[in-house]
Amino acid sequence: SSQTASFSHQPPSTPASKEVWKKGGRMFSILLAVHLALLACTLVSSGAFEKIAVHDYDVFFLRTVMMLTVIVWIIFYLVGTARSPDAILCKDSHAGPIWLRGGLILFAIFSLVMDVFKIGYYSSFYSCLSAIKIIYPIVQAIFVIVQTYFLWISAKDCVHLHLNVTRCGLMLTLTTNLAVWMSAVTDESVHKAHSKLKKNMTEEIFRWLMRVGIRSSSDEECNCNSQICQIFKNGYFWLYPFNIEYSLFASAMVYVMWKNVGRFIDHHSHHIHRLKFRLFRRTFFVGIMLGLITLVSGLGVLILYEVQVNSSTEPSKKSQALTMYYIFNIVCLSLMSLVCIGGSVIYRFDKRDMDRHKNPTRTLDVALLMGAALGQYAISYYSIVAIVASTPRDAVSALNLTYALLMIAQHTFQNIFIIEGLHRQPPKEDHKHSSHQKDLYGLTFVNINAVSLRVPDSGSTLAPSTASGTEATRPSDLLRSLTAPKKMNWRRKFLREISMFLLLSNIILWIMPAFGARPQFDNDTELNFYGDSMWPAIVDICLPFGIFYRMHAVASLLEVYI
C-alpha cells in the first residue's frame, strides 16, 4: 500500500515522464511496423519463385488480413477516439495540404477502377481459382475507400487520446500500404518480364513468371481466352502505376499523422495557410508560357513514342523514337537545371529569416524529396555504367548517357532550390509594413525633401529619445525602406516564374513514364549488359520512386511558391 501511495504521488504527468512514455510508444510501434514489413516482404518475394513452397494465395491472405485489421482500427478511431472531447486538442495546418489530398483521391479513383478490373478478371475463371483471389480485390477496394476518407478528414489531427493504440494503428496502416506497394511492384515487374520474354523462355522461367498474380496457361480451365477477360487483364496491369503512387501518397500522409500523435502546436508560430488561386497574379507569364510549351511538346513526344515503339516492329522507327525522346528530355532537364541554379542565386539576396520551428511535415517533405530522388539516381548510375562499359557506342547511347547525367544534375539542383524554399519564412504581403512605413505608403505623393526635414539628425534635440530606445530615422534609411518592397517584389516574381516553369515541367516528366514512355525497357544497352531479369527488376523497383518524386516536387512547389 505504501508503494501504491508513493506511486500515486508521482503520476507520469511531468514533461520528463511524458517524453519517456512518448519514446516508448513510438519505439513499440516502430518495432511492430518493422516486423510486419519484413514478414510481408519475405512472403511477397518468396511467392515469386516456383521452387519455394509459398503460394501466391498465401500472400493474398496476409494482405487481406492486414487490410481488414486496418479497416477495423480506422472505424474505431473515427467512431471512438476522434469523437472524444479531449482527443484532438490542436491540428497541424501544414499536414495534408489540399493538393496532396486531391492527388490521393485521384490515385484512389484509379485504384478502385483497377480493383474492378481485377474482380472481373478473376471472376472469368473463378471455378479453378482460390476464393481469396476474388475476395482480395473486394477487400482492397473497401480499404482504399475507408483509408481515403480517413486521411481526408483526419490528416491534420494531433491526437492526445489512446496514444499507443493510435501509434500502432498508424504504423500498421503504413506497413499495409508498403506491403501493397511491394506486391504491385512485383506484379508489374513480372508482367513486363513475361511480355518481353514470352517467345523465347524456358519452361522453368515460365513457371517462375506465373507465380505472381497470373495463372499458367497450361491449365486449360484457367485460360483467359475471351475478349472481355483480356480487357480486364490488360486494364488492371495498365493501372498498376496509379495504385503504386496511391500507396506512396498514403504512406507519407500516415507517417505525418504518426509524428503528430501527442504533439502540441504553438499557434503563435504556426500560421494557417489557406489555398489561394493566384497562379496568374503578379507574374510576367514567361514561366507559364515556357512551361506550357514544354508540356504540350512533351505530350506530342509521348504520343509519337508510343506509336513508333509499341506499334512498329522496324528497328529504325524504334531508334528514331528513342532519339526524339532523349533530345526532348535533354533540353527540358537542361532548362530546369539552369532555372534551379538561377533560383538558388536569387535566394542569396533574399533577406527573409529561416524558419527554425519544429515542423514534422517539412521534415518529411525534405526526406521524401531526398529519398525519392534515390530511385532515379540508381537508374541513372546503372545506365552510366552500362553505357560506358558497353561497345560499340552509337548516337542513341551518347544521348542516353547525356540524359542520365542531366537527370542526376536536375534532381540535385531542384532539391536544393525546393528545400531552401521550404526553410524560408513565408513572404510578407505588400500591405503588411510597420506603422511608420504604412503612413508613408498611404500618401499618394511623397515629397522626400519635406519628409527629410522632419527627420532629426543625430545629435539634435531629439537625441534623448534615441538614447531611451527610439532610433532616429535618417533620410537614406527612409529611402531604402521605400524602395525595399519593390526589390522584394521583383525577387518574388522571378521565384514565381521559376516555380511555374518547374511545376509544369515536372508534370510532363511525371506523365511520360506513368503512361508508358519508359526507354529503359526499349534501349538494348542496359538489357544486354545487365540481363533480361536483373535490369527490369531494377527499373520496376526504382522507377515508382522517380514518378513519386515528380508528384511530390509539384506539391512542394505549390506549397512554397504558388
Side-chain angles (χ1 to χ4, degrees), residues 94 97 99 273 347 350 352-370 414-427 495 549 552-562:
H94 295 288
W99 37 82
H273 301 280
Y347 270 130
D350 197 348
R352 285 183 292 167
D353 295 331
M354 302 295 289
D355 187 0
R356 304 184 187 279
H357 295 98
K358 184 179 179 181
N359 190 341
T361 306
R362 182 178 59 206
T363 303
L364 178 64
D365 286 338
V366 174
L368 288 177
L369 284 171
M370 301 297 292
Q414 182 169 265
N415 281 347
I416 294 173
F417 175 69
I418 294 177
I419 291 172
E420 197 162 8
L422 288 171
H423 285 84
R424 295 281 178 171
Q425 291 281 4
L495 289 175
Y549 172 84
H552 193 68
V554 170
S556 299
L557 289 167
L558 286 170
E559 175 75 22
V560 179
Y561 302 103
I562 306 301

Side-chain angles (χ1 to χ4, degrees), residues 280-320:
F280 303 105
R281 290 174 54 189
R282 303 177 183 178
T283 61
F284 299 112
F285 295 96
V286 177
I288 298 174
M289 295 304 299
L290 189 59
L292 288 176
I293 293 173
T294 305
L295 181 63
V296 174
S297 302
L299 291 176
V301 171
L302 174 62
I303 294 172
L304 293 175
Y305 181 89
E306 289 290 333
V307 171
Q308 294 186 2
V309 171
N310 297 329
S311 301
S312 178
T313 58
E314 298 180 9
S316 60
K317 294 289 185 181
K318 179 180 176 180
S319 178
Q320 291 177 3

